[in-house]
Amino acid sequence: MKKTLRLILGDQLNLQHSWFKKKDNNYTYVLMETMEEASYVSHHIQKVIAFFFSMRNFNDTLNEKGFQTIYLKLDNSSNLQSFSDNITHLVESQNFERFEYQLPDEYRLDIVLNELTNQLSIECAASDTEHFFTSRSELKDFFEKKKSKQWLMESFYRAMRKKHQILIENDDKPLGGKWNYDASNRKKLPKDLTVISPKLYAKDVSEIHSLILKMEIKTIGNVDEKSFIWPTNREESTDLLEFFIVNCLPYFGDFQDAMAKNLWSIYHSRLSFALNCKMLSPKEVIDEILSYWEHNRSEIDISQVEGFIRQILGWREYMRGIYWAKMPEYEKVNQLSHDNKLPEFYWTGKTKMNCLQDTIQQSLDYAYAHHIQRLMVTGNFALLAGINPAEVDQWYLGIYIDAIQWVELPNTRGMSQYADGGLIATKPYVSSANYINKMSNYCQKCHYNSSEKIGDKACPFNSLYWNFIDRHIDLWKKNQRMGIIVANWEKQDPDQKTAVLKQAAKYLANLDKL
């Protein structure tokens, strides 16, 4: 057996991987904190801390189990600050005869590691991460076989349900008679409902925080270094999963689209960081949910269960498949030719719009916002304001603790910004203030009036919405799902239309002052 060096990336903290089935002193595992990874975008301070702390915990666990490891901290004198340089140095200085790695989930790292293995003079091999339900190419193969022009998540999701026999009855029929309970998952929070407080983990991360400051890594956001709230090991991740299933799952489906000022997690699982770092697997999450539901069916409606499973088995796998099918071109698509700059308040939270102020401040404080806040508040405004999707990408990739490019990019370019021209979304996900007012309490006591389109107190979402429709109206006329909206705009009084567009132009010229 050859002396082998195995690389573990920061999002490959999977103790269930076959690499760790048994100890073998011929293998040495290396984890590294590098400036290259910490600074390719301005990350949230909590995101950098979470990755480093989780990696250190994983390394400690491997040592406790008897595995040989090399751990390069950010300020280690022998750390050359990139995967390629560190691997090359270790191979040469410690006489490794073979190099192995698990397939990365990001395209840029795939290129880096392919180039590295071509340069190394020793044997090299790549393994699967053994994490996802699907392979990199499965979604692409699925839709190409069907000769589909539009790659609908729903059809892929149903195929996954059948393939893995999840919520399926005999003859591949959906359990409960429906494939999708999305129509039941759009309730606003009742005023008299007391939402459970989120499960948090109070850990001292001051050592890592100080290291990041010492190394002058540019970050965004805030952190309480004496009380870090996110799960950073396998035990905490499974604990958070259990908390979600018992306390939040019974209400998750109903209120997964709801938003409320100062309620930052509501009934969401907040498992995405643990999942994306592979401390949890999607299969075990679904298995645990189904097991609990099987014993508590009288207390939990199937709509709650299906709503969550759709996010894991459907949306998460779908986004990964889109990413690998369309990269690297997907990173540059901008079908609407939007080119405005991202407003400064996205970095500070200082805006008079309650919905954006609360969502952005929450993101700065917790490195987290749930999917509707991301899609219908920050994403919606960016799309209406014609922001360059590259700037939107950089913001989403940096600010959220769970943001790794494979999941961030298709969600941003495709679902949120419609920059792919409709490959993912059958219509642009835009709305006026009406939707936000319907699904939240943000519009209450806001500086702007959600019902007004014109005037100093008119909510910017209203005029920007109709400006967006008017700007791309030839495109929307070709979209069956946009027909009613186009017709509504075209039948409005010409003077009213002119006034609304002037209002939008005024706001667009002063985005930083809204």
Side-chain angles (χ1 to χ4, degrees):
M1 179 70 71
K2 293 184 177 181
K3 182 180 179 182
T4 302
L5 181 65
R6 284 176 162 175
L7 172 65
I8 301 172
L9 300 177
D11 63 346
Q12 296 177 342
L13 310 182
N14 179 9
L15 285 169
Q16 281 69 50
H17 195 277
S18 58
W19 274 6
F20 310 116
K21 293 299 183 185
K22 62 179 181 179
K23 292 178 288 185
D24 188 330
N25 290 333
N26 289 297
Y27 295 106
T28 299
Y29 299 86
V30 60
L31 296 94
M32 59 186 82
E33 304 164 1
T34 67
M35 291 293 292
E36 182 179 62
E37 289 303 295
S39 59
Y40 70 87
V41 69
S42 294
H43 297 288
H44 198 295
I45 182 62
Q46 292 185 43
K47 182 181 179 184
V48 182
I49 290 173
F51 270 95
F52 286 1
F53 203 66
S54 300
M55 289 163 62
R56 293 183 183 190
N57 287 336
F58 190 79
N59 183 68
D60 290 343
T61 300
L62 290 183
N63 290 159
E64 291 168 3
K65 293 180 176 293
F67 292 95
Q68 296 181 146
T69 68
I70 296 171
Y71 194 95
L72 296 176
K73 292 185 178 181
L74 196 65
D75 60 348
N76 190 306
S77 59
S78 62
N79 190 341
L80 301 178
Q81 302 302 339
S82 80
F83 292 132
S84 296
D85 290 343
N86 281 329
I87 293 297
T88 300
H89 175 71
L90 288 169
V91 166
E92 293 175 352
S93 63
Q94 298 196 27
N95 299 314
F96 284 103
E97 301 168 293
R98 181 177 168 88
F99 171 64
E100 296 180 0
Y101 66 96
Q102 295 175 31
L103 290 172
D105 291 321
E106 290 192 304
Y107 184 86
R108 65 184 179 84
L109 290 181
D110 204 46
I111 297 298
V112 166
L113 292 172
N114 275 322
E115 291 177 348
L116 171 62
T117 55
N118 287 333
Q119 293 167 6
L120 291 175
S121 59
I122 59 174
E123 288 183 11
C124 300
S127 303
D128 192 85
T129 60
E130 303 172 10
H131 174 78
F132 294 95
F133 280 98
T134 55
S135 68
R136 283 181 176 181
S137 64
E138 190 164 343
L139 178 133
K140 180 181 180 180
D141 296 341
F142 174 81
F143 284 112
E144 287 185 346
K145 184 178 181 180
K146 291 170 66 70
K147 298 181 180 180
S148 303
K149 291 183 179 180
Q150 190 165 47
W151 294 9
L152 294 175
M153 191 281 285
E154 182 66 23
S155 59
F156 180 71
Y157 168 56
R158 293 183 185 188
M160 289 295 100
R161 288 264 299 272
K162 292 177 183 177
K163 178 179 178 179
H164 298 284
Q165 290 296 293
I166 294 173
L167 294 178
I168 291 293
E169 292 183 316
N170 295 332
D171 301 321
D172 282 343
K173 300 295 183 182
L175 191 66
K178 295 172 63 176
W179 286 106
N180 187 313
Y181 291 84
D182 189 45
S184 304
N185 300 156
R186 301 170 183 171
K187 296 183 177 68
K188 185 175 181 176
L189 287 173
K191 292 181 180 180
D192 59 350
L193 180 65
T194 301
V195 176
I196 190 168
S197 298
K199 174 87 173 181
L200 306 177
Y201 299 91
K203 293 167 287 190
D204 189 331
V205 294
S206 54
E207 178 187 342
I208 293 179
H209 188 210
S210 297
L211 172 63
I212 293 167
L213 296 176
K214 183 183 80 170
M215 298 296 286
E216 298 182 345
I217 296 174
K218 182 183 178 182
T219 61
I220 56 178
N222 312 307
V223 66
D224 181 350
E225 64 176 20
K226 298 295 184 181
S227 186
F228 192 71
I229 65 173
W230 292 98
T232 53
N233 58 42
R234 168 78 178 164
E235 291 71 28
E236 290 173 348
S237 299
T238 55
D239 179 61
L240 185 58
L241 171 59
E242 181 180 359
F243 174 85
F244 166 71
I245 292 173
V246 174
N247 298 283
C248 303
L249 181 62
Y251 311 97
F252 170 79
D254 285 346
F255 303 117
Q256 65 172 301
D257 286 5
M259 300 175 285
K261 193 170 179 62
N262 298 320
L263 288 176
W264 67 277
S265 75
I266 308 184
Y267 295 108
H268 289 269
S269 72
R270 295 175 298 109
L271 293 169
S272 51
F273 175 73
L275 270 165
N276 292 353
C277 288
K278 303 179 180 58
M279 293 183 288
L280 291 176
S281 79
K283 185 179 186 304
E284 73 177 314
V285 169
I286 290 176
D287 286 347
E288 288 295 322
I289 285 172
L290 291 176
S291 176
Y292 186 83
W293 181 58
E294 183 64 31
H295 294 91
N296 297 274
R297 288 201 182 193
S298 62
E299 300 173 21
I300 306 175
D301 190 78
I302 189 174
S303 63
Q304 321 295 334
V305 176
E306 188 278 324
F308 189 78
I309 288 177
R310 189 181 342 125
Q311 289 194 0
I312 304 297
L313 181 64
W315 199 248
R316 189 169 183 266
E317 299 286 333
Y318 172 75
M319 283 293 161
R320 177 174 179 259
I322 291 286
Y323 180 80
W324 283 108
K326 298 300 179 180
M327 283 295 282
E329 295 80 11
Y330 203 82
E331 195 172 10
K332 301 188 184 330
V333 292
N334 185 4
Q335 291 293 319
L336 299 179
S337 300
H338 285 177
D339 58 3
N340 288 336
K341 289 189 64 62
L342 195 70
E344 182 64 22
F345 60 72
Y346 271 73
W347 306 100
T348 66
K350 295 179 180 178
T351 171
K352 296 187 289 289
M353 292 175 280
N354 268 1
C355 57
L356 282 158
Q357 189 280 326
D358 188 74
T359 298
I360 293 170
Q361 191 59 55
Q362 169 189 311
S363 303
L364 292 169
D365 289 342
Y366 298 107
Y368 176 82
H370 70 67
H371 65 281
I372 294 298
Q373 290 176 305
R374 299 188 201 193
L375 180 65
M376 298 308 299
V377 179
T378 52
N380 184 13
F381 186 85
L383 182 53
L384 295 179
I387 307 303
N388 188 322
E391 294 207 16
V392 185
D393 278 338
Q394 292 295 295
W395 186 77
Y396 277 107
L397 186 58
I399 200 166
Y400 292 120
I401 195 167
D402 55 14
I404 302 174
Q405 194 192 46
W406 69 266
V407 68
E408 174 276 325
L409 184 64
N411 267 296
T412 301
R413 292 265 172 166
M415 184 67 173
S416 174
Q417 298 304 293
Y418 203 75
D420 64 5
L423 174 69
I424 290 177
T426 55
K427 69 176 183 64
Y429 277 82
V430 289
S431 77
S432 63
N434 182 57
Y435 175 85
I436 296 172
N437 189 35
K438 176 184 176 182
M439 295 306 301
S440 75
N441 59 8
Y442 287 146
C443 298
Q444 298 172 17
K445 299 181 181 179
C446 183
H447 172 82
Y448 296 103
N449 189 319
S450 64
S451 63
E452 294 182 8
K453 299 176 184 176
I454 302 168
D456 291 340
K457 290 297 184 72
C459 177
F461 277 89
N462 293 332
S463 59
L464 292 180
Y465 174 79
W466 290 114
N467 177 75
F468 174 80
I469 299 301
D470 187 78
R471 178 180 175 182
H472 302 293
I473 196 161
D474 290 339
L475 180 61
W476 308 142
K477 284 181 178 179
K478 301 174 186 176
N479 187 313
Q480 290 184 343
R481 296 192 67 192
M482 297 293 286
I484 294 176
I485 296 168
V486 169
N488 187 356
W489 174 244
E490 290 187 323
K491 73 180 181 182
Q492 289 185 33
D493 178 78
D495 291 339
Q496 173 73 4
K497 290 169 67 175
T498 298
V500 169
L501 294 178
K502 283 184 177 180
Q503 180 79 35
K506 176 183 176 181
Y507 282 152
L508 288 171
N510 297 276
L511 287 176
D512 287 333
K513 298 179 181 179
L514 295 180

